[in-house]
Structures are given as structure tokens and as C-alpha cells.
Amino acid sequence: MKTALITGATSGIGKSTAIELAKHNINLILCGRRQDRLDVLQNELSKTVKVHTLSFDVREKEEVFKKIDSLPPHFSNIDILINNAGNAHGLDPIQTGNLDDWDAMIDINVKGLLYVSKAIIPKMIAHGSGHIINIGSIAGKEVYPNGNVYCASKHAVDAINKGMRIDLNPYGIRVSAIHPGLVETEFSNVRFKNDDERADNVYKGFDPLTPEDIADIIAFVVTRPYHVNIGDLVVFPTAQANSTIVNKNFV
């Protein structure tokens, strides 16, 4: 059986991906900051596959390496890495942007992804195989008003994904990116600092993607024959044409 490590596994896309991969008999290493949520998910999925949890913040470099190095031997061979942890903070023009918001987005979306990847890639190289899936965003393909630093962080994910695929090609490691459009998760609640009404309005008037939709795509990507690598995939809800054009009357 294969083993997948998923960051940001306590909610949204990460949680749904864990549930979906368990259906494919893939053992799981679930990572997140909220141990209580990790425990609930572990109890649920342990009936099907082996599950180990690691509670850490991807921004904390030393903690990332310490926790991943602490994996027991039967979980140390990681076949699949899903870099899902990410966030958006604020939706302000560059001139009034909040520096703490900028730091959070760059530290989690870019540096956190790099730290976790750096901790795991040598294990994949030593094993001679592996698959890295980086969860990006349409914000990594386009820039929209007031998106500035968030878009920059996701453009970085897009570039890192391409660079990884080049650098790891000699080792037979697959590298993929999935760039969703509007997915209804806690994303907007975090962006708007728990302003639930504003967050809910983002998804009104159309059917957004769900975390389960993205999890289904991730499962498809990781279960392709090994000679097949889906390197770069953009997915929208049908009502969305790009970052700024959404048919709010399409349900």
C-alpha cells in the first residue's frame, strides 16, 4: 500500500482528500495545526487504512523537519506528498495592505510548501519514486484587483511546481499542480477574518466547486499509471470563466 502525506488536512480540500484517498487504500499521514480535528479524522479513517497524525505549523521551519523526521519506520516511506496547506488574508489594494497578512500568505503558501517539500524530497529520491501534488489556485495564473500578494504567492507555487518537475525529472518523481477556481471552504472566512456574511456572499448565486470535487481530481491524478503525469490542471465551477467573471445567476 502507498502512503500519502497531506498538509492542511483538518478541513476543506485536505480533509476531503484524506477521506477520498482512504477509499483507494492509501495509508495517510495527516498534518495540521488543530490536533483535535486530526484525532477525529484519524479515528474515522483508521477503520480503513493506517493513519498517523502530525500537528505542526508549516511556517515553523524547525518544527516541520522535527515532526517529519519523527515518523515511525512504517510511515517513513512517503509515496505521495500533497502540499495543500495555504491561506488568503485580506483583500486590499497594495497601498493599504496589512504587513502581517502579507507575511502570513508568503510564509504559509510559499515557504511552508518549500519546507515540507525539502523534508520529504530526499526520501523520495532515495526510494527512486514519488509524486508531489501542489495545490495552487487560479490566482497563480491570473492577477485580479486587490489580490496582489495572494496572487504573487500562488504564482510562486506555479513556478515552484514547474521547477520541481524539471529538477526531479532525473529521479522519476512525478510533480503535479491543481489550480482550482472558487471552492466553498473556510478560505473566505479566513480571508475576511471571520466575517461570515461577507464570506457567504462569495458563493451565493451559483454552484461553486466543493472540496470533494477537488479531492476526486487529486485521487484521479495520483492513481494514473506511473508513466502518466498530469503536470498542470486548472478547474473552475461551470459558472466561472476566470478570476473575475462569475455568472451569479447560474445555479
Side-chain angles (χ1 to χ4, degrees), residues 92-143:
D92 304 301
I94 196 82
Q95 65 271 21
T96 58
N98 182 294
L99 294 179
D100 290 337
D101 287 347
W102 293 359
D103 284 341
M105 289 185 281
I106 292 170
D107 287 349
I108 296 174
N109 297 351
V110 183
K111 294 166 70 176
L113 181 150
L114 289 170
Y115 295 157
V116 175
S117 299
K118 177 66 172 174
I120 292 172
I121 286 171
K123 302 175 188 295
M124 290 183 170
I125 290 175
H127 191 246
S129 66
H131 196 168
I132 300 170
I133 297 92
N134 296 308
I135 305 302
S137 167
I138 187 55
K141 301 292 189 179
E142 307 172 8
V143 178

Side-chain angles (χ1 to χ4, degrees), residues 3 5 29 54 64-73 75-81 115-132 168 171 173:
T3 297
L5 185 147
I29 302 166
L54 294 175
V64 168
F65 287 92
K66 178 181 176 182
K67 287 298 178 72
I68 291 175
D69 285 344
S70 75
L71 287 168
F75 277 102
S76 61
N77 182 26
I78 297 167
D79 303 284
I80 302 162
L81 165 61
Y115 295 157
V116 175
S117 299
K118 177 66 172 174
I120 292 172
I121 286 171
K123 302 175 188 295
M124 290 183 170
I125 290 175
H127 191 246
S129 66
H131 196 168
I132 300 170
L168 299 180
Y171 305 101
I173 296 172

Side-chain angles (χ1 to χ4, degrees), residues 173-217:
I173 296 172
R174 296 192 288 184
V175 180
S176 309
I178 297 170
H179 302 280
L182 287 162
V183 186
E184 189 168 9
T185 65
E186 295 177 357
F187 176 90
S188 289
N189 299 81
V190 173
R191 165 167 266 178
F192 299 129
K193 306 183 191 305
N194 296 316
D195 183 338
D196 292 338
E197 183 177 357
R198 189 178 180 190
D200 289 344
N201 283 335
V202 172
Y203 308 108
K204 283 184 177 178
F206 73 105
D207 288 329
L209 296 169
T210 67
E212 291 78 14
D213 293 328
I214 307 304
D216 186 50
I217 292 168

Side-chain angles (χ1 to χ4, degrees), residues 2-3 12 23 25 36 38 40 54 58-59 62 83-84 120 123 133 137 143 161 165 173 177 179 192-193 200 220:
K2 291 185 176 180
T3 297
K23 297 175 185 176
N25 295 315
D36 56 336
L38 291 174
V40 170
L54 294 175
V58 297
R59 291 176 289 188
E62 302 301 328
N83 279 315
N84 168 70
I120 292 172
K123 302 175 188 295
I133 297 92
S137 167
V143 178
N161 183 73
R165 193 159 55 246
I173 296 172
H179 302 280
F192 299 129
K193 306 183 191 305
D200 289 344
F220 176 81

